[in-house]
Amino acid sequence: MDFDLGEEQVMLKTSARDFLDKECPKKLVRDMMDDDKGYSPELWRQMADLGWHGLAFPEEYDGVGSSFLDLTVLLEEMGRALVPGPFVSTVVYAGRTILAAGNEEQKQRFLPAIAGGETIMTMALLESSGDLEPSGIAVTASPSGQDFVINGTKLFVPDAHIADHLICVARTKDGTGEDGISLFLVDAKSEGLRVEVLSTMTGEKLCEVTFSGVTVPGSNLLGKLNGGWPVVRNLLDEAIVGECAWMMGGARWALETSVDYAKEREQFGVPIGTFQAIQHKLANVAVEVEGATSIVYYAAWAIDENDPGKTLAASVAKTWCSDTYKHATFEGIQVHGGIGFTWDHDMHLYFKRAKSSQVAFGDADYHRERIAQLLDV
Amino acid sequence: MDFDLGEEQVMLKTSARDFLDKECPKKLVRDMMDDDKGYSPELWRQMADLGWHGLAFPEEYDGVGSSFLDLTVLLEEMGRALVPGPFVSTVVYAGRTILAAGNEEQKQRFLPAIAGGETIMTMALLESSGDLEPSGIAVTASPSGQDFVINGTKLFVPDAHIADHLICVARTKDGTGEDGISLFLVDAKSEGLRVEVLSTMTGEKLCEVTFSGVTVPGSNLLGKLNGGWPVVRNLLDEAIVGECAWMMGGARWALETSVDYAKEREQFGVPIGTFQAIQHKLANVAVEVEGATSIVYYAAWAIDENDPGKTLAASVAKTWCSDTYKHATFEGIQVHGGIGFTWDHDMHLYFKRAKSSQVAFGDADYHRERIAQLLDV
Amino acid sequence: MDFSYTPEEETFRDELKQWLTMHMKELPEWYGRRDIAGPDVDSQEYHDFSVWWHRKLYDAGFVGITWPKEYGGRGGTIMEQVIFYEEIARHRAPGLSNAHGIGWCGPAILAHGSEEQKKRYLPKILSAEEIWCTFYSEPEAGSDMANVQTRAVDGGDHWVVNGQKVWSSGAHVADWGVLLVRTDPEVRKHRGISYLFLDMKTPGITVSPLRNITGTAEFNEAFFDNVRIPRDQVIGEVNMGWYVAAGALEFERSSAGTAIARENSVKGIIRLAKEMGHNGDPMVRQKLAQLYVETMVLKYMALRGLTHELREGRPGPQGAVSSVFSMEFNQRLQDLAMEIQGPYSRLVRGSKHAVDHGRWQHDFLRSRGNTIETGTSEIKRNIIAQRVLGLPRQ
Amino acid sequence: MDFSYTPEEETFRDELKQWLTMHMKELPEWYGRRDIAGPDVDSQEYHDFSVWWHRKLYDAGFVGITWPKEYGGRGGTIMEQVIFYEEIARHRAPGLSNAHGIGWCGPAILAHGSEEQKKRYLPKILSAEEIWCTFYSEPEAGSDMANVQTRAVDGGDHWVVNGQKVWSSGAHVADWGVLLVRTDPEVRKHRGISYLFLDMKTPGITVSPLRNITGTAEFNEAFFDNVRIPRDQVIGEVNMGWYVAAGALEFERSSAGTAIARENSVKGIIRLAKEMGHNGDPMVRQKLAQLYVETMVLKYMALRGLTHELREGRPGPQGAVSSVFSMEFNQRLQDLAMEIQGPYSRLVRGSKHAVDHGRWQHDFLRSRGNTIETGTSEIKRNIIAQRVLGLPRQ
């Protein structure tokens, strides 16, 4: 029995922590918030060289062949460091989708390029409704000879402004249900494709992507025609658990930083950490963070095992982590008092990320209802 | 401007507190939990002599002619003392309904008898669904010459086992909506009427009342035929606010008792009230109790003024008080530690009452949805 | 107990309503429009607008409603004050400017100032001809506010002040400032503090903006380097400044005004839920209803507290209690407003698709300061426990 | 990290499942039936039933799964222990009896007892031939558990014990009891305490039931009046009893076992919601889902804690953390179970129309003790803050 990280995972975690402490300081994070591209090509290259991009791809596609759980451990550390840039978009949203649904040619074309850090990709899923269900997909892809022509607008697409290719989730058949949805690999330089970067609270780059008669060759269909939604659903499980790992890493930073501050900041002649109100506030956060760590690792394991309970586990993790990250940073600001409310202190970087992660891939209420359905309540 | 009790209300409150401290000790409360009747005829007589029963009836019916707010102040103190017996059933559920909907003859027949403490009454409203909406009413009253014949079963009827008369809410027309519901004054000794006392956590006497072809004369119709539901709705506002006053009185007892204990109980060589965890716990309860007091007085005022917002105010009060009373007693037990968990300490009497009041006349979720409807969300 | 209004009060309300209906037409185009973004809240343009509107209210007799007439007030009743806040909220009109002058400095002068000080300063505080700010907190005096390190040394006809203050709101636009300084380092903490005030043009003060998590800089740090303040610029007795600062709760600073304003925020978030199409979601309905419950409780609790204070001459338990509640309520409301927007909550002012020009995002971020800035929630709960409930100090 | 089971573990599970399927047929008629009320939980009948079932489990080798074979245990793995709890829960089978013997007294003997003590006492604890209870709390030693006043004076070949204990669970049916006594009043609090044990038939002990808010009396007060305890009936060193009592977390007492059992409670409350017709209520669905989330988090947190303990030889932070969480979780669950019943929640055991014979009502009331009985939630949060997070003591 073994319900915690193995030795190699601990090593991966430690080395990632050390690397990011050095190469991804908060100065970089802050600079990238205002940067047009939003990422450091140098850091991107370094991470690729460390094998991070290909960590969870098989060796035949130049990957490391590690598990999704290993990737989760890495994402936890990236969330702790708030690594800016298109890592998740490229590796998880696009890479894992291609791995799951692509044909051999597509895999060979994209996965080694991702693993090598040579290409940036993303997925264009959400639209104006913000809806995660098939009913939210209205962008169409109509057959035209051997090609498909895509029309419509995608919203909240991460990193589209720097992506070389996008996976576009589109309707290939009339309707609002899950049948008739297909996935397309779209070259970002295609004619008729327009990207506008939106301004976000966290400085993350979310984009509006407009498709005005964008033509893609039929060979760019990813997976089965009209059978794209199960692929999306599968990817959502992974994306959710990845997001949770990121959140949990950030929540632990907020906890540890607050604990450190409470030990050293004095008021009334004693460290504020001696006050029971502060002690219990942080004890509560500790309970939540320990719980988050446990459930995220379990959910990641369930994905690796393709366990029938993986979707349920992902929803459980997202419900818990949404609340945890928020509380950890809300209390983080409170424990820091005025200092925590300043722009100069780093707590707000995490705090804002917590709020944005809370609504990413469905908030806690959404996932609780989903859990009720999965449990057949 | 005057947003707090007036001088006379404060006097009423003080004298009620003094009287009940003396005449309604916890020994009596505990004895009545196991008593078949569930009330002390002596205390009942004393309260009537003090004018409590007729406090909110006009003088022409031997009442004192005070306001509903005055009655609320009294109920607050009765809730604090946990006065056992059919006061609320008789005075509020039955008395206030007769006052609102009865004809002159009915008022003359019942109200002075109530005011004088000579009769015990109640209302038979709920049925097996526990539903507070018209759809919950399935007991029927069918015309038969000048009479009506009632059939069906009522549940959770308070004090029916000692009542002289009941007001029965019954369907006089097929359907499930609010049209076709009528109210009848039923002599408790009527043939075909059977009362069975249920065992409750609080020792309150709730009854199952079965009507098997109970015949009541047409003159016992209270209010308009088929127009009974608006009377019920109006009574529910008053019953809710009365329940809230009762709850608020109990919550304040729990708060004060816990504060007193925290001042005197020592652990680790100091009073436990010096610990910030205890201080903040009780501060939170204080916030809730102060809020409860303020909103209950406002809701009672709105009833006196027949303010168009009175239903909304009642729902707001019930939402708040449901949470408040529960928290005050949950925390009350926790602050008292092991002692608070014993049968001998009085906290559990309040704690159980808090749980039962929580679900009486709709819990907080029910009222929040009702508020959303009233606000046209 | 009487929550209804007298005929005189209804007349006052009518007068105010008419005034607002007429004069709100003069508000700038961006005000109240959701399709146009207004100026940044920390901009000069916004400050000018705020003072301009304040002076119109002042000229119409709606500022300092309960303040004595001889100092520029209306000499009216608390109930009129309540009505003022109700109508301002109902009309969604802008509120008053010079918040620290009216909420803190003015009341201190009114309660503890000399007759000369009252005559000289109060009218211009009300008219916002002179903007005031406060210098209370210091880096080492946050929750422990009595730990004042800024020193004022007796220099004969003046005080010489040295030290650092933080979290001074509006210091960059203020004409006058009040400051807590230590004038006697020998006595115990709460004693030996004085409440001075100074012309912001006095040499030796350096004010620098403190950017907060919203990205704006409504607060400031201030450094006092041998600042000379005339000896008579003290409010109340020397060394008794702590008790001046902790003085009576004024309506402007009480939760009653805030509570009434917050009813409007609840209406605003209900409107938001409808516009985002989430008003049918049972969970959202529950949360909105709960906010409404809380705002009602807050309002009547604050009003009851006011009644208590008027009757007893000192704040009742409801005061401390509604303060902590009011601040946390606003945080819950702002947090929910973000939740309701789903992925749109991530977009801020200036972005395409941002809801209401990112106003909610700003207000949400700003709200996190609420449980810190006027005493942390922890300190307020200590006060409730110790002063209201009488629990022993450790 | 590996949440899956080895073939050996699956074999163990199959064996256990077969055993349960066969032997649960022998359970009394009232067990698991919702139309018949069973005996009161504090009745002799219930105790006898509980011991009877325990012995069957023991005879089949399912008690003391991780305890050494030489002391009557199975000598198995922690994973088998996990499987045991899973299957007991899945089959809704009764659990073990002699909870204090197996959870507290036995482990203390195992860790600190002499070889002779282990041989003499452990097998009969496991077999429930001898029921054990604990005497820890005192009227003045509640949260401040080290404030032990009960004195044991050296009487040569025996100790002479005087004092009062409270909250002793099962003392009225126990054969043996362990007790914390002060053997050296001169040294500071945590030192000078010893961990004695005694035959419950020893003269001078008076056990009287302590009725709790459920109306039943599972706890007791006990008075020790010149009780003579043989000198060798001490576990561990004299004056070091505090550290014996605060010893290693055993699986039986850990939250892992509880967490697994609590999955079943969640299933039970979902069934209740369906039967009451409230499973379509969106708010009820949210609350049920949240309970499920919490039970999953609790389970994996507790299991991770166990892994940590096995690897490091000492409990990890997850231990203290999951204990406070587990207790409060059960309170939330029981509270919700009442809420779901609406007006039916008011009816108790013995009443017509009572849901499930009032079982929920009893469990709800009983749950209020959870955040008190094994250390209050406040004390546990202190421990998390100080020992896990390393925050300074005051």
Side-chain angles (χ1 to χ4, degrees), chain C residues 243-258:
Chain C
Y243 306 94
V244 176
L249 190 71
E250 288 297 311
F251 190 92
E252 282 79 1
R253 213 164 84 216
S254 85
S255 303
T258 317

Side-chain angles (χ1 to χ4, degrees), chain B residues 135-180:
Chain B
S135 55
I137 307 297
V139 165
T140 57
S142 319
S144 165
Q146 297 295 308
D147 301 333
F148 286 86
V149 180
I150 304 179
N151 278 293
T153 301
K154 291 285 180 182
L155 258 190
F156 311 113
V157 184
D159 309 308
H161 65 305
I162 48 169
D164 302 302
H165 283 84
L166 299 85
I167 296 174
C168 179
V169 181
R171 287 219 165 263
T172 35
K173 222 165 80 178
D174 283 351
T176 56
E178 73 169 76
D179 183 37

Side-chain angles (χ1 to χ4, degrees), chain B residues 24-94:
Chain B
C24 185
K26 289 300 181 303
K27 163 114 182 48
L28 178 72
V29 175
R30 288 171 180 266
D31 285 350
M32 290 305 112
M33 288 171 73
D34 297 326
D35 186 84
D36 283 344
K37 288 200 303 294
Y39 80 111
S40 151
E42 194 196 332
L43 178 61
W44 181 256
R45 161 74 23 228
Q46 287 174 300
M47 295 193 303
D49 290 347
L50 286 170
W52 289 8
H53 292 214
L55 189 73
F57 298 154
E59 291 170 29
E60 61 209 277
Y61 306 116
D62 295 357
V64 177
S66 294
S67 67
F68 185 78
L69 176 59
D70 293 322
L71 181 60
T72 300
V73 168
L74 194 59
L75 289 172
E76 179 186 344
E77 288 306 316
M78 293 177 80
R80 181 188 179 93
L82 290 173
V83 175
F87 185 88
V88 174
S89 307
T90 304
V91 170
V92 180
Y93 305 161

Side-chain angles (χ1 to χ4, degrees), chain A residues 232-281:
Chain A
V232 171
R233 204 161 43 207
N234 190 64
L235 184 265
L236 279 176
D237 287 342
E238 299 193 4
I240 286 169
V241 176
E243 185 78 25
C244 286
W246 186 282
M247 295 167 85
M248 184 254 283
R252 198 173 278 281
W253 180 92
L255 170 64
E256 291 174 4
T257 303
S258 301
V259 167
D260 289 346
Y261 185 74
K263 286 178 185 170
E264 106 209 348
R265 163 76 173 170
E266 296 200 354
Q267 286 283 273
F268 304 102
V270 293
I272 61 169
T274 56
F275 296 116
Q276 208 178 20
I278 301 290
Q279 291 199 348
H280 285 198
K281 204 184 280 296

